[in-house]
Amino acid sequence: MTDMTGSDSGGAPRARTRGDPGPIGGSLMSAVPALAFLGALFVVPLGFLLSFAFLTIERGDIVSGLPTLRHFFETLTDDLFWIVAWRSFWVGVVSTILCVVFAYPVAWVYSELKGAWRPIVLVLVVAPLLTSAVVRTYAWIVILGGRYGLINSLLIDLGLIGRPLRILNTDIAVIIGMVQIHLPFMILPLISVLDGRDRAREEASLALGASRIVTFFRVTLPLSVPGIAAGASLVFALSYTNFIIPQLLGGGNYTTLALQVYEFIIVILDWTEGAVRATLLLLSCFAIVLLINKLGAWYTRWLEAGR
Amino acid sequence: MHIEIDRVSKNFGRQTVLSDCSVAIPKGDVLSLLGPSGCGKTTLLRAIAGFNTPDRGSIRIGGQDVTDLPPNQRKVGFVFQHYALFPHLDVRRNVSYGLDIRGVGADQIRTRTDRMLDLVGMSTFAGRYPGQLSGGQQQRVAIARALVLEPEVLLLDEPFNALDAQLRGTMQIELRKLVKRLEMTAIFVTHDQHEALTLSDTLAVMNGGRIEQSGSPLALYDKPQTGFVAGFIGTANMVNRTVEDGVIHIGAVRLSATGSKARAVIRPENIEITPGAASDDWRGKVTFVRPLGPIVEYQLEAGEAAPVTVIALRRAGDDLLLPGDDVTLSVRDPAACTVLAVGDQA
């Protein structure tokens, strides 16, 4: 131990004795309160929860003392788990793709706007975040709901349809809710890449004979991939783990992995089963977000090349 | 192709950035748009490229009116001030971009791109991304990218700004040779008169959205039509005099002039100084001496509005004047002086 701090790794200890906190030391000190807060109130409870997945609990008591992987094995061999997991994944992917499609034009318009319009658009984008997601989800029930929902009553009054459309309690309702609620998390990173872009590159493409559309797909879009990757990570993680929207807009029978965690822990009080799914949800979410970022980094490898 | 710019005007909001700019460039010539920042030179260049549309006037390239044509239909090469290379494409794909867009066959893309990379000496860097290149290398790629389409017109927006002084001089000469070899008509924008003199056949000096004067570099130096042009190209001594009987007196020299006041533009090499103060002549005192090797530059206090600059040839062993010396000034060649009427303009 003494050897290690002394002679071997010369840089860090020497820097410290001179009173230079170094690039990491200085920022770590100022992060201590936040880290302590997170550690005590997030990491430790999360650790407890995840540890339940390896134990058998009945009526609030740990039954067998030895940790086991049995619960994981049972869950992973259960077809129903895979159906639910696949739905969670699918909802997350579709929401993310739709968010990119809807957010891009908004971010684009923002980047082309001048003067007083910019803060207005920005406020409109951020404003939904000021209300609770639960309230907004309920609002969607009012809009999408049965015979007297806004959409159905309008379409029926216009005589376009005879019977109310079934939107609420379907995949479509869940996706609509996910996209609307998570859209700002895609728009904001896209705004940051599109607004700061060098327009001369697009002009260069035009001068080389490309049309505006070709220029968009060959220059503007590839250069905005860092923003798309950042937004996609956020939106996927949020959609994949959201349990309020599938619960309220999907109807009672619409189950996702996140919703199962909630039901096992809060409703059924089977903490082991809940913890198993929470662990799997967390790990798979990390894995997919990591994959999105790896793909983004691979695609934008020219950024690394410049350093 | 020859280019004609005919009375082009442009406003951004209420601000006039170009007013009645006219200039013609014969095929194969290099024109410099020279002027201080904000004079409208970049706006004019961008109008020729099609990045903005003039409010009035017309632009013709090779006889065809392109005023309202979008940039991708003008067949004009453009080199941007900061090069605007595509950071996500390597050097080869940056250069081949224009060919790719046109759907040229793969074989032809390869040979033409190779030839272009070779021409600018970037063959060994074909696989690098722009972020891995130095400023000079990026500029070569930007030029290759514009030239690969074999445009007959090349437009360059302050292409040497981002380069260090030494490289700048080399690249200016290289670019001039390249443009001449490929028989292109080129227009480039600069605020650096030395750059303009190195590169161009024709100079157009711009100020406040107007083309003040255009012509060959030496014509502008010898016969500036405005005080601005005189001061912007080379060093000019502005000598203000009151007109008496249609002439102004500068020392023993009489120059014909009109109006009540006139200003003579006298270049530093057109003034001779002799030590000692003769009684009646144009007198002065040396304030600063700058020995530059083959020439010596003197700053003199001679009773004019600004210090007078004089350049004298120097031979080894010559004695220099010293600060504080009294001297007599005289104009060497009265015919080489330009007399401007002093009106409202500066």
Side-chain angles (χ1 to χ4, degrees):
Chain A
M1 281 300 283
T2 45
D3 235 69
M4 266 176 62
T5 47
S7 55
D8 254 6
S9 51
R14 229 186 299 137
R16 215 173 289 143
T17 53
R18 281 184 193 169
D20 176 7
I24 296 174
S27 51
L28 261 187
M29 280 310 289
S30 51
V32 163
L35 288 176
F37 185 86
L38 270 179
L41 299 174
F42 175 69
V43 177
V44 171
L46 186 69
F48 271 120
L49 173 67
L50 297 184
S51 69
F52 290 164
F54 301 90
L55 304 169
T56 307
I57 299 171
E58 270 171 27
R59 299 174 190 211
D61 285 323
I62 297 169
V63 176
S64 82
L66 289 173
T68 173
L69 286 172
R70 184 166 59 89
H71 307 295
F72 280 100
F73 182 76
E74 283 170 2
T75 304
L76 289 172
T77 50
D78 181 357
D79 287 346
L80 191 64
F81 166 80
W82 286 107
I83 292 170
V84 171
W86 170 249
R87 178 185 281 160
S88 295
F89 176 74
W90 180 84
V91 166
V93 169
V94 172
S95 309
T96 306
I97 292 170
L98 288 178
C99 273
V100 176
V101 171
F102 290 130
Y104 213 105
V106 178
W108 176 272
V109 165
Y110 177 87
S111 74
E112 296 294 312
L113 285 176
K114 289 190 181 100
W117 286 103
R118 305 185 123 226
I120 292 173
V121 172
L122 208 54
V123 166
L124 288 176
V125 168
V126 179
L129 298 177
L130 303 178
T131 55
S132 147
V134 179
V135 173
R136 276 184 287 158
T137 310
Y138 272 112
W140 277 112
I141 296 180
V142 175
I143 295 168
L144 302 174
R147 165 68 184 84
Y148 300 103
L150 268 178
I151 289 183
N152 277 328
S153 55
L154 187 70
L155 290 178
I156 290 171
D157 289 351
L158 289 173
L160 292 174
I161 52 171
R163 290 191 307 156
L165 295 172
R166 187 164 171 268
I167 304 173
L168 197 62
N169 304 343
T170 65
D171 288 325
I172 295 170
V174 175
I175 300 272
I176 288 174
M178 292 280 188
V179 170
Q180 192 270 319
I181 295 205
H182 299 144
L183 202 55
F185 298 100
M186 185 63 85
I187 294 176
L188 294 175
L190 280 177
I191 279 180
S192 92
V193 292
L194 286 179
D195 198 33
R197 74 189 200 273
D198 179 3
R199 319 271 160 133
R201 289 170 185 153
E202 285 153 32
E203 291 175 342
S205 171
L206 293 176
L208 290 167
S211 65
R212 290 199 174 274
I213 292 168
V214 170
T215 297
F216 175 79
F217 282 105
R218 298 188 76 147
V219 177
T220 315
L221 188 61
L223 290 179
S224 60
V225 163
I228 296 176
S233 302
L234 286 170
V235 171
F236 180 83
L238 290 168
S239 305
Y240 188 59
T241 57
N242 190 312
F243 61 92
I244 297 165
I245 297 168
Q247 188 177 40
L248 294 181
L249 299 181
N253 296 325
Y254 197 94
T255 309
T256 62
L257 214 46
L259 188 49
Q260 275 198 332
V261 174
Y262 170 79
E263 282 172 346
F264 272 115
I265 289 176
I266 305 293
V267 182
I268 306 171
L269 293 177
D270 187 339
W271 289 9
T272 302
E273 287 295 309
V276 166
R277 279 163 180 77
T279 307
L280 293 170
L281 182 71
L282 194 65
L283 289 179
S284 56
C285 189
F286 271 139
I288 294 160
V289 168
L290 199 66
L291 182 72
I292 292 171
N293 282 292
K294 286 283 175 201
L295 282 175
W298 172 80
Y299 191 84
T300 59
R301 57 198 179 280
W302 74 81
L303 290 173
E304 280 304 309
R307 289 184 192 133
Chain B
M1 286 201 227
H2 61 284
I3 301 169
E4 294 149 286
I5 296 155
D6 188 21
R7 283 169 292 161
V8 164
S9 299
K10 174 89 184 161
N11 297 316
F12 286 145
R14 282 184 198 160
Q15 195 193 350
T16 304
V17 282
L18 294 176
S19 65
D20 274 341
C21 291
S22 297
V23 65
I25 307 113
K27 176 178 161 46
D29 256 21
V30 179
L31 170 83
S32 295
L33 295 172
L34 179 65
S37 58
C39 70
K41 57 192 192 296
T42 296
T43 308
L44 184 57
L45 191 78
R46 291 171 59 82
I48 300 167
F51 297 140
N52 61 47
T53 310
D55 299 335
R56 289 184 305 281
S58 70
I59 296 167
R60 284 186 298 279
I61 299 177
Q64 187 201 359
D65 189 331
V66 299
T67 314
D68 296 313
L69 221 54
N72 52 343
Q73 290 170 29
R74 293 199 183 190
K75 294 170 187 166
V76 159
F78 200 101
V79 176
F80 290 82
Q81 188 174 0
H82 299 290
Y83 315 134
L85 295 175
F86 305 126
H88 59 303
L89 303 179
D90 62 23
V91 167
R92 168 174 293 282
R93 287 195 294 154
N94 261 282
V95 174
S96 66
Y97 185 90
L99 298 170
D100 254 357
I101 295 295
R102 279 172 172 68
V104 176
D107 286 349
Q108 228 203 328
I109 289 181
R110 173 156 287 275
T111 50
R112 284 172 73 174
T113 306
D114 281 342
R115 195 181 345 134
M116 236 23 258
L117 287 172
D118 204 36
L119 189 68
V120 298
M122 288 297 292
S123 298
T124 48
F125 299 96
R128 298 242 188 134
Y129 287 104
Q132 294 169 299
L133 303 177
S134 70
Q137 291 168 335
Q138 290 188 30
Q139 194 203 36
R140 287 159 190 269
V141 176
I143 290 170
R145 183 178 68 175
L147 294 187
V148 76
L149 297 171
E150 294 163 16
E152 291 178 75
V153 174
L154 183 64
L155 307 176
L156 306 102
D157 184 10
E158 308 219 14
F160 304 103
N161 251 18
L163 304 182
D164 59 63
Q166 205 176 356
L167 190 57
R168 199 178 297 177
T170 319
M171 291 299 286
Q172 284 166 5
I173 294 168
E174 270 189 54
L175 183 68
R176 161 115 190 152
K177 286 180 179 168
L178 189 65
V179 166
K180 286 292 167 188
R181 173 140 57 106
L182 301 176
E183 296 178 340
M184 283 183 294
T185 309
I187 302 178
F188 80 104
V189 153
T190 181
H191 60 256
D192 177 347
Q193 52 157 319
H194 294 291
E195 191 170 301
L197 295 171
T198 308
L199 276 160
S200 42
D201 302 304
T202 310
L203 267 178
V205 176
M206 292 187 69
N207 184 33
R210 296 178 173 280
I211 294 179
E212 294 247 338
Q213 190 178 349
S214 62
S216 77
L218 291 182
L220 263 65
Y221 184 80
D222 292 342
K223 294 284 166 205
Q225 287 166 5
T226 67
F228 180 82
V229 174
F232 205 79
I233 296 178
T235 308
N237 295 302
M238 308 285 190
V239 179
N240 295 313
R241 290 289 185 269
T242 307
V243 182
E244 293 164 9
D245 304 327
V247 291
I248 54 173
H249 295 265
I250 300 168
V253 167
R254 291 147 52 108
L255 298 169
S256 59
T258 53
S260 59
K261 283 186 173 176
R263 165 180 298 171
V265 177
I266 311 172
R267 296 296 182 185
E269 67 279 11
N270 196 20
I271 299 175
E272 188 172 15
I273 45 175
T274 43
S279 59
D280 213 13
D281 277 343
W282 193 18
R283 276 173 291 170
K285 194 185 274 289
V286 177
T287 57
F288 194 80
V289 181
R290 192 187 281 167
L292 297 170
I295 57 168
V296 188
E297 185 185 300
Y298 293 104
Q299 297 283 332
L300 309 171
E301 192 49 61
E304 306 300 337
V308 172
T309 305
V310 174
I311 289 175
L313 278 173
R314 190 192 71 94
R315 273 185 294 266
D318 280 3
D319 287 331
L320 300 186
L321 293 163
L322 298 171
D325 285 357
D326 288 313
V327 292
T328 303
L329 296 79
S330 56
V331 175
R332 288 172 188 270
D333 177 9
C337 299
T338 306
V339 181
L340 304 169
V342 178
D344 296 328
Q345 88 270 32

